[in-house]
Amino acid sequence: MTRIRTRLLIVHVLVLSVLAVLAVRLWQVQVVRGAQYVSAATETRTRDVMVPAVRGQILDANGRPLVRNRTALVVSVDRTALYRMRDGGSAVLRRLAAVLGQPVQALRDRIRSCGPGVTRPCWPGSPYQPIPVDEGVSTRQALQILERQEQFPGVTAEVQAFREYPMGSAAAQMLGYLQPVTQEELDRRKGIADAFSGVDLVGRDGLESVYDQALRGVPGLRRVQVDRLGKVLGVERQVAPVPGDTLITSIDSKVQLIVEKALVNAMKKAPKADGAAGVVLDPRNGRVLALASAPTYDLGVWSGGISEAEYRGLLSEKYGKPLVSRATKGEFAPGSTFKISSVSAMLADGYPLNGKYNCPGSFMVGGRPFSNFRGQGLGVLTLHQALVKSCDTIFYRAGFEQWLRDGGLNPKGPTKEPMAHTARAYGFGSRTGIDLPGESPGRIPDRSWKKEMWAATRDDNCKRAKTGFPEVAKSSPSRASFLKRLAHENCLEGYRLRAGDAANFSIGQGDVLVTPLQLARAYAALVTDGKVRSPRIGWARVRPDGRLVERIKSPVTGRLPITAEQRTYIRKALSEVTSDGTAAGAFNGFPMDHIRIGGKTGTAEVYGKEDTSWFASFAPAADPRFVVVVMVSQGGMGGSTAAPAVREIYEQMFGIAPQGGKKTAPALPGMRAAQTLPVISPDGLVAR
């Protein structure tokens, strides 16, 4: 009996102890940490959903869309949620693949992170963002996912906006493309995460990149109540997103398409052509009316994830690197189009404007003959005639004489370098400042540049002076021997600006490099008021209801070092190139009495390749309202390839019938570009 009582006592004590522990624990939960658990319970009942803002449109100068939005049902996967599951989300992906009609491996590829050794398709954005895996699902497919959320945890289906390009592949490099924001960017740039909704894309090139913040807008917030399976029960709070600004550009979409077509036609005429660029400017204000590069590509390739083969193709030499804009990033020797700078340097250096200059078939520079085209002598000419007929030897002599006055190989003090100084005043050798990313600066090979290059390449040149070029000798022993001698010379005195360097500089050859946009800007300054402007594509930013936010101006960045009289003299000389000079054949039959075109051809030699073909022009010649520049890499002579392309552009811009063809409606009625902004009504529609 005593034993039974003892056991009962022990049981009572244990029960009381358990009850005491439970009471203490209940007190801790209810009193001590009650507020914390209430907050946690609330968090599990609500979800904050960032609502992406509608990205702003990009319009041309007349209100026609260059980039607009379309909507589509998009299925996205939260990779983090999948990876937390016991099977890593394999079951969910199998069910999702069955609904979407895709292989499971295709979905796995889409959600893996891009990185070294990972081929596309892959996800280049933050791993914590929802990852789109199908951007064109049907309503039925979306409902299958939304109505069975317990089978598709971490998967969403919602309507999202996507970019659409009405002009197809035209202006691809200028417009740019969108890609997901990366985790590195979110970590590096403080506060950037607040500006992104989680499904937003960021501009990666072109206008989309430069004006990204304005176009993107501000995301909204929707706080929703959900059950334990994540199914939405109701909306607790909602903040509407603020749509992005509309960017109005100075681009005329009709002119843009004309230039794109002209470049394609020009490359077809030159069998070895591997690229081309075209620029149309309003020289009075620096606004860009068209900016094209060929080959180009379809911007739609970025939608839905780009494959590894497609991405490599965009950067491949075989396909002409279509991702790269030759208009702003391509650097080429300008040939005789550069003579506007050289003749200006002569005038600024005291050469008489109305003087007489001998144009022999060749001119000796440093013991070596430098010849005219085909060695033809043209007798005694004025500077006017030298530009029209494109006499090289007059410029060789001037470059050589200026080099001698600066001290030749051994300058004793500060040098004037008139050719280089004037070229920089024209804007060559520095970026134009256009509102596009990644612009190339070009190159002006003056004495300072020679010293910098020598310091950077001396070790390699000295090594090659000893070892030679065995890899070249296999195919061309004479070329290898020449390169070895050149390496020896550059090893010892590559810092010196030689006489031949100065002569080549004077006609836009040698180490001189420019971009097509730089050349267009230079001609725009010459044929108008002498002011060098930084070109702009953006014209204004407006709200979707039409309210003006900002007018985008094209700033003046410099002035030419010649007088108005000298500028007029050069312009009048160039006005005869198309009727009596090197472009006369290309413009044969053009109605010069109706509208005269001025310009300058350029044929730049490139070792191991065909010549680079140039034509820089302006119209009307007496009062220029347009500057048009075309460059065709490996296009041959300027008068045979680039000049006919420029003629084609003018004919369609002004509605002039081509030779043997029919007259078409002008792209620019009255031969004028848009002068006022298009009117956008409060409902977002373009009134003009």
Side-chain angles (χ1 to χ4, degrees), residues 349-422:
D349 197 37
Y351 286 77
L353 181 66
N354 297 305
K356 300 290 185 178
Y357 301 86
N358 189 30
C359 178
S362 64
F363 178 75
M364 297 298 293
V365 177
R368 172 188 161 198
F370 280 65
S371 302
N372 266 337
F373 180 66
R374 292 176 180 168
Q376 184 179 9
L378 301 176
V380 178
L381 305 176
T382 62
L383 289 178
H384 178 111
Q385 294 168 322
L387 289 171
V388 174
K389 303 300 182 183
S390 202
C391 172
D392 289 339
T393 50
I394 288 177
F395 294 96
Y396 289 146
R397 179 188 293 274
F400 180 58
E401 290 173 346
Q402 291 176 347
W403 176 80
L404 288 174
R405 287 196 290 271
D406 270 339
L409 286 172
N410 300 292
K412 302 300 182 182
T415 56
K416 292 175 61 178
E417 298 190 77
M419 292 279 183
H421 174 76
T422 304

